[in-house]
Amino acid sequence: MMIRPPLVSVVDDDESIRESLPDLLREFGFAAMAFSSAEQFLASGHVDETRCLILDISMPGMSGPELKRELSKRKLYIPVVFITATGDESAPPNERELGTAECLFKPFSDTGLLAALKAALRVN
């Protein structure tokens, strides 16, 4: 029986992020899927199998923090690594309150992303 790697879902309205991050995540040993909106992710059928979300804070429609709250309402506690292009460090939501492992500012390093994912998934 083959063990499937954990699924990390990327939700970001930035096409370049959706195209590049899944490849990097696969290099790290994760399964990866990308979605252009919170609504697309919720409708995807992959919510239950997602083990970690890389989630843009500011998106048209439902924002990243709003998606995190919606998942909590549904009693789905998926660890989140927020990402943002906003350079203002006061911009991130109270990520600890939302159960967030990390908030990365774009552009972020590969090693920074991997460290955030490991913290979110609590793996070494």
Side-chain angles (χ1 to χ4, degrees):
M1 186 168 122
M2 189 174 236
I3 297 174
R4 291 177 40 181
L7 175 62
V8 177
S9 292
V10 177
V11 183
D12 197 315
D13 59 318
D14 182 334
E15 186 176 357
S16 65
I17 295 289
R18 290 194 315 273
E19 289 179 354
S20 62
L21 270 189
D23 291 337
L24 180 60
L25 292 168
R26 288 182 193 100
E27 285 181 30
F28 289 157
F30 297 102
M33 297 196 74
F35 304 92
S36 62
S37 69
E39 294 85 356
Q40 184 187 40
F41 172 69
L42 288 172
S44 72
H46 295 285
V47 175
D48 288 338
E49 64 189 91
T50 296
R51 295 295 159 252
C52 186
L53 271 169
I54 297 176
L55 186 53
D56 191 13
I57 289 176
S58 180
M59 295 182 288
M62 184 183 286
S63 72
E66 288 169 338
L67 172 57
K68 179 67 175 160
R69 284 186 204 89
E70 177 61 28
L71 292 170
S72 294
K73 282 184 201 170
R74 296 180 184 196
K75 305 212 182 307
L76 297 169
Y77 303 105
I78 303 170
V80 171
V81 175
F82 277 117
I83 58 176
T84 183
T86 306
D88 179 4
E89 294 196 13
S90 66
N94 184 347
E95 58 265 4
R96 298 288 175 230
E97 181 181 306
L98 291 172
T100 304
E102 191 71 57
C103 183
L104 300 175
F105 294 89
K106 299 175 188 174
F108 45 82
S109 69
D110 296 359
T111 54
L113 177 62
L114 183 57
L117 286 168
K118 285 182 176 182
L121 294 166
R122 291 173 176 73
V123 295
N124 293 323

